Amino acid sequence: MVLIGTGREVSLRIEAFEQLESEGACARIVSMASGEFFAQHDKSYRDKVLPPSVSARISVEAGLTIGWNCQVEASGEKIGMRGFDASAPIADLLKEFRFTRETAVAAARRRLDFPEKSP
């Protein structure tokens, strides 16, 4: 399992990572400030960071999810905003756009075929 995002979401990814590891999942965090810059690296480097054998990939982005398709691929999931037309207190927006640790963990469980935990 790989949790990918830009730097500003690192605390949410760390929280999800810690919970997943405590449940026995093998996970890693990738901080990718620029997908365009990442794509300029040679394939061997890109494969070390995002191993092709790991199809369980979740992007966690406080901004739009556009642009994460190359890193997440068809078998992954993108968490973030879906549009520009929202205005509310930040806590409400983060919840509205599913930008929570719980959402990241639930997405990872779906991709890893882990059972859902009861609250």
Side-chain angles (χ1 to χ4, degrees):
M1 148 72 19
V2 180
L3 298 162
I4 313 165
T6 60
R8 65 184 169 254
E9 296 82 11
V10 72
S11 61
L12 188 149
R13 289 192 318 267
I14 289 171
E15 290 173 9
F17 168 84
E18 289 172 344
Q19 183 172 341
L20 290 164
E21 280 216 321
S22 74
E23 296 173 9
C26 182
R28 80 166 42 178
I29 296 172
V30 171
S31 185
M32 188 175 296
S34 169
E36 189 175 314
F37 181 69
F38 178 73
Q40 293 175 7
H41 286 279
D42 63 47
K43 184 171 177 4
S44 65
Y45 173 80
R46 293 190 318 263
D47 288 350
K48 286 179 186 174
V49 175
L50 296 174
S53 61
V54 179
S55 61
R57 299 178 183 182
I58 309 295
S59 70
V60 180
E61 177 61 47
L64 294 174
T65 60
I66 296 169
W68 287 103
N69 292 340
C70 293
Q71 291 81 20
V72 173
E73 300 177 342
S75 60
E77 221 170 297
K78 297 175 285 191
I79 298 169
M81 293 178 58
R82 304 274 193 253
F84 292 105
D85 60 347
S87 178
I90 189 67
D92 295 342
L93 289 174
L94 294 176
K95 190 173 183 179
E96 173 68 22
F97 290 108
R98 306 176 322 126
F99 192 70
T100 65
R101 183 200 74 220
E102 293 81 11
T103 300
V105 168
R109 286 184 184 136
R110 284 191 297 275
R111 297 297 169 235
L112 295 170
D113 293 325
F114 266 46
E116 291 293 324
K117 295 270 185 175
S118 298

